[in-house]
Amino acid sequence: MKSFTLSLIALLYLSVAAAAQTPEPKSAAPLKAIAVLHPTEGDKVSGTVTFTEEADGVRVQADISGLTPGKHGFHVHEFGDCSAADLASAGGHFNPTNKPHAGPDAAERHVGDMGNVEADASGAAKLDYVDHEISLANDQRSVVGRSVIVHAKADDLKSQPAGDSGARIACGVIGLAKSQ
Ligand code: CU
Ligand code: ZN
């Protein structure tokens, strides 16, 4: 009888321990973030940039208007601070791995190097690609809380430290978005 009681207690203990260890059901929805772009004084660039976790990277989708036709440098900058008139408050290109400036497909690049967006004759630009350096998770490469900046000129993908892409004309802070 004593051993039966002990077994019962052991069984109870085990089931309580198992219940405590059962992980909470994890949301299947991938992390998603968004930057809403605001213009600097004297231009009217606006748009959104979304970042969505996928199996092999983070999908970047930009929908921007009010640009001059042609290519415009497009980067994640270190700080989520769009407050300065010249957007210097956003800091340099987000570069947590201390690599040289390059394009999004280069083996070595700033994590923030997303290359260019290209506007059509009406000033609208769309971009959709999967980035393999950017992260939304809680790690060194996370772009959440940083900023997206659009430049006046094209990024040549090689000049240091920022691709010679000229003035900063629009900025948006990257924040978490509702995923679905
Ligand atoms: Cu930039
Ligand atoms: Zn760069």
Side-chain angles (χ1 to χ4, degrees):
M1 188 61 200
K2 191 176 177 191
S3 78
F4 173 74
T5 309
L6 279 176
S7 315
L8 198 65
I9 289 170
L11 197 66
L12 266 170
Y13 175 77
L14 283 175
S15 46
V16 167
Q21 280 171 14
T22 304
E24 283 189 19
K26 209 185 164 200
S27 161
L31 281 173
K32 188 175 172 185
I34 185 167
V36 179
L37 298 174
H38 301 283
T40 49
E41 201 176 332
D43 71 79
K44 43 185 193 301
V45 181
S46 64
T48 57
V49 185
T50 61
F51 299 87
T52 310
E53 273 187 335
E54 292 196 351
D56 62 339
V58 170
R59 182 169 292 277
V60 178
Q61 292 169 298
D63 189 350
I64 304 171
S65 61
L67 293 161
T68 54
K71 289 183 176 179
H72 296 267
F74 179 66
H75 319 114
V76 175
H77 283 241
E78 184 174 5
F79 304 115
D81 182 352
C82 303
S83 62
D86 63 356
L87 300 176
S89 50
H93 292 185
F94 179 42
N95 183 22
T97 52
N98 199 25
K99 296 282 167 59
H101 175 73
D105 300 325
E108 297 220 311
R109 51 167 265 205
H110 298 150
V111 169
D113 288 344
M114 300 188 292
N116 288 286
V117 288
E118 186 162 10
D120 63 17
S122 77
K126 282 194 195 299
L127 181 71
D128 186 342
Y129 80 103
V130 176
D131 195 288
H132 302 290
E133 292 283 330
I134 283 171
S135 163
L136 301 181
N138 186 19
D139 63 26
Q140 183 195 30
R141 293 162 187 261
S142 176
V143 299
V144 176
R146 305 188 185 280
S147 59
V148 172
I149 286 200
V150 182
H151 290 261
K153 298 197 297 172
D155 183 335
D156 65 14
L157 311 181
K158 56 177 191 277
S159 294
Q160 301 302 319
D164 193 28
S165 50
R168 303 172 178 195
I169 58 172
C171 183
V173 179
I174 303 167
L176 285 177
K178 185 178 182 185
S179 51
Q180 43 206 343

Short mmCIF file of all heavy atoms in Angstrom, two decimals, residues 52-61 104-105 109 114 127-134:
data_model
loop_
_atom_site.label_atom_id
_atom_site.label_comp_id
_atom_site.label_asym_id
_atom_site.label_seq_id
_atom_site.Cartn_x
_atom_site.Cartn_y
_atom_site.Cartn_z
N THR A 52 8.92 41.13 -43.90
CA THR A 52 8.19 39.95 -43.45
C THR A 52 9.12 38.75 -43.41
O THR A 52 9.80 38.44 -44.39
CB THR A 52 7.02 39.64 -44.41
OG1 THR A 52 6.26 40.83 -44.61
CG2 THR A 52 6.12 38.55 -43.84
N GLU A 53 9.15 38.07 -42.28
CA GLU A 53 10.00 36.88 -42.14
C GLU A 53 9.54 35.78 -43.08
O GLU A 53 8.35 35.47 -43.13
CB GLU A 53 9.92 36.32 -40.71
CG GLU A 53 10.89 36.93 -39.74
CD GLU A 53 10.86 36.22 -38.40
OE1 GLU A 53 9.83 35.60 -38.07
OE2 GLU A 53 11.87 36.28 -37.69
N GLU A 54 10.50 35.19 -43.80
CA GLU A 54 10.20 34.02 -44.62
C GLU A 54 11.21 32.94 -44.28
O GLU A 54 12.16 33.19 -43.53
CB GLU A 54 10.27 34.38 -46.11
CG GLU A 54 9.13 35.31 -46.51
CD GLU A 54 8.92 35.39 -48.01
OE1 GLU A 54 9.75 34.85 -48.77
OE2 GLU A 54 7.92 35.99 -48.41
N ALA A 55 11.04 31.75 -44.86
CA ALA A 55 11.89 30.63 -44.50
C ALA A 55 13.37 30.92 -44.74
O ALA A 55 14.22 30.56 -43.93
CB ALA A 55 11.47 29.40 -45.30
N ASP A 56 13.68 31.62 -45.83
CA ASP A 56 15.09 31.82 -46.17
C ASP A 56 15.54 33.27 -46.09
O ASP A 56 16.52 33.66 -46.71
CB ASP A 56 15.38 31.25 -47.56
CG ASP A 56 14.56 31.96 -48.62
OD1 ASP A 56 13.54 32.58 -48.29
OD2 ASP A 56 14.97 31.94 -49.80
N GLY A 57 14.81 34.10 -45.37
CA GLY A 57 15.22 35.49 -45.24
C GLY A 57 14.05 36.38 -44.87
O GLY A 57 13.03 35.91 -44.36
N VAL A 58 14.22 37.66 -45.14
CA VAL A 58 13.16 38.63 -44.84
C VAL A 58 12.73 39.29 -46.16
O VAL A 58 13.57 39.86 -46.87
CB VAL A 58 13.66 39.70 -43.84
CG1 VAL A 58 12.66 40.84 -43.72
CG2 VAL A 58 13.92 39.06 -42.48
N ARG A 59 11.45 39.18 -46.49
CA ARG A 59 10.95 39.80 -47.72
C ARG A 59 10.81 41.30 -47.49
O ARG A 59 10.20 41.72 -46.50
CB ARG A 59 9.62 39.18 -48.16
CG ARG A 59 9.10 39.77 -49.47
CD ARG A 59 7.93 38.99 -50.03
NE ARG A 59 8.33 37.66 -50.47
CZ ARG A 59 8.88 37.36 -51.66
NH1 ARG A 59 9.10 38.33 -52.55
NH2 ARG A 59 9.21 36.12 -51.97
N VAL A 60 11.37 42.10 -48.40
CA VAL A 60 11.29 43.55 -48.34
C VAL A 60 10.38 44.00 -49.47
O VAL A 60 10.62 43.66 -50.63
CB VAL A 60 12.68 44.19 -48.51
CG1 VAL A 60 12.58 45.71 -48.48
CG2 VAL A 60 13.65 43.69 -47.43
N GLN A 61 9.32 44.73 -49.12
CA GLN A 61 8.38 45.21 -50.13
C GLN A 61 8.20 46.71 -49.94
O GLN A 61 7.73 47.15 -48.89
CB GLN A 61 7.04 44.48 -50.03
CG GLN A 61 7.15 43.00 -50.41
CD GLN A 61 5.91 42.21 -50.05
OE1 GLN A 61 5.58 42.10 -48.88
NE2 GLN A 61 5.24 41.66 -51.05
N PRO A 104 22.79 44.78 -52.27
CA PRO A 104 22.08 43.72 -51.52
C PRO A 104 22.53 42.30 -51.87
O PRO A 104 22.39 41.40 -51.04
CB PRO A 104 20.61 43.95 -51.89
CG PRO A 104 20.62 44.79 -53.12
CD PRO A 104 21.88 45.60 -53.07
N ASP A 105 23.08 42.10 -53.07
CA ASP A 105 23.49 40.74 -53.46
C ASP A 105 24.95 40.44 -53.16
O ASP A 105 25.43 39.33 -53.42
CB ASP A 105 23.24 40.53 -54.96
CG ASP A 105 21.77 40.69 -55.31
OD1 ASP A 105 20.92 40.31 -54.48
OD2 ASP A 105 21.47 41.20 -56.41
N ARG A 109 28.58 43.13 -47.15
CA ARG A 109 27.80 44.37 -47.27
C ARG A 109 27.36 44.81 -45.90
O ARG A 109 27.42 44.04 -44.93
CB ARG A 109 26.56 44.12 -48.15
CG ARG A 109 25.76 42.89 -47.70
CD ARG A 109 24.40 42.79 -48.34
NE ARG A 109 23.40 43.39 -47.47
CZ ARG A 109 22.10 43.05 -47.48
NH1 ARG A 109 21.65 42.14 -48.31
NH2 ARG A 109 21.26 43.63 -46.65
N MET A 114 20.21 47.88 -48.95
CA MET A 114 19.12 47.34 -49.77
C MET A 114 19.20 47.83 -51.21
O MET A 114 18.29 47.58 -52.00
CB MET A 114 17.76 47.70 -49.15
CG MET A 114 17.59 47.17 -47.72
SD MET A 114 15.91 47.38 -47.06
CE MET A 114 15.83 49.17 -46.88
N LEU A 127 9.38 47.77 -54.99
CA LEU A 127 10.50 46.83 -54.84
C LEU A 127 9.96 45.64 -54.08
O LEU A 127 9.12 45.78 -53.17
CB LEU A 127 11.62 47.51 -54.04
CG LEU A 127 12.89 46.67 -53.81
CD1 LEU A 127 13.66 46.49 -55.11
CD2 LEU A 127 13.79 47.34 -52.78
N ASP A 128 10.43 44.44 -54.44
CA ASP A 128 9.99 43.22 -53.75
C ASP A 128 11.10 42.20 -53.91
O ASP A 128 11.34 41.70 -55.00
CB ASP A 128 8.68 42.72 -54.39
CG ASP A 128 8.08 41.53 -53.63
OD1 ASP A 128 8.79 40.87 -52.85
OD2 ASP A 128 6.88 41.27 -53.84
N TYR A 129 11.82 41.92 -52.82
CA TYR A 129 12.87 40.92 -52.88
C TYR A 129 13.06 40.31 -51.50
O TYR A 129 12.57 40.85 -50.50
CB TYR A 129 14.18 41.53 -53.40
CG TYR A 129 14.98 42.30 -52.36
CD1 TYR A 129 16.11 41.74 -51.78
CD2 TYR A 129 14.59 43.58 -51.95
CE1 TYR A 129 16.85 42.43 -50.82
CE2 TYR A 129 15.31 44.27 -51.00
CZ TYR A 129 16.44 43.69 -50.43
OH TYR A 129 17.16 44.37 -49.47
N VAL A 130 13.78 39.19 -51.45
CA VAL A 130 14.06 38.55 -50.16
C VAL A 130 15.51 38.85 -49.78
O VAL A 130 16.43 38.56 -50.54
CB VAL A 130 13.83 37.03 -50.22
CG1 VAL A 130 14.23 36.37 -48.89
CG2 VAL A 130 12.35 36.75 -50.52
N ASP A 131 15.68 39.47 -48.62
CA ASP A 131 17.00 39.86 -48.14
C ASP A 131 17.55 38.78 -47.21
O ASP A 131 16.82 38.24 -46.37
CB ASP A 131 16.91 41.19 -47.40
CG ASP A 131 18.26 41.83 -47.20
OD1 ASP A 131 19.05 41.32 -46.36
OD2 ASP A 131 18.55 42.82 -47.89
N HIS A 132 18.86 38.48 -47.36
CA HIS A 132 19.45 37.41 -46.57
C HIS A 132 20.34 37.90 -45.43
O HIS A 132 20.99 37.11 -44.76
CB HIS A 132 20.22 36.45 -47.49
CG HIS A 132 19.35 35.87 -48.56
ND1 HIS A 132 18.35 34.95 -48.30
CD2 HIS A 132 19.28 36.12 -49.88
CE1 HIS A 132 17.72 34.66 -49.43
NE2 HIS A 132 18.27 35.35 -50.41
N GLU A 133 20.40 39.21 -45.22
CA GLU A 133 21.19 39.76 -44.10
C GLU A 133 20.30 40.34 -43.01
O GLU A 133 20.60 40.25 -41.82
CB GLU A 133 22.12 40.87 -44.61
CG GLU A 133 23.22 40.38 -45.53
CD GLU A 133 24.36 39.73 -44.76
OE1 GLU A 133 24.61 40.11 -43.60
OE2 GLU A 133 25.00 38.83 -45.32
N ILE A 134 19.20 40.95 -43.44
CA ILE A 134 18.29 41.60 -42.51
C ILE A 134 17.57 40.57 -41.64
O ILE A 134 17.20 39.50 -42.11
CB ILE A 134 17.27 42.44 -43.32
CG1 ILE A 134 17.94 43.72 -43.81
CG2 ILE A 134 16.02 42.74 -42.51
CD1 ILE A 134 17.10 44.52 -44.78
#
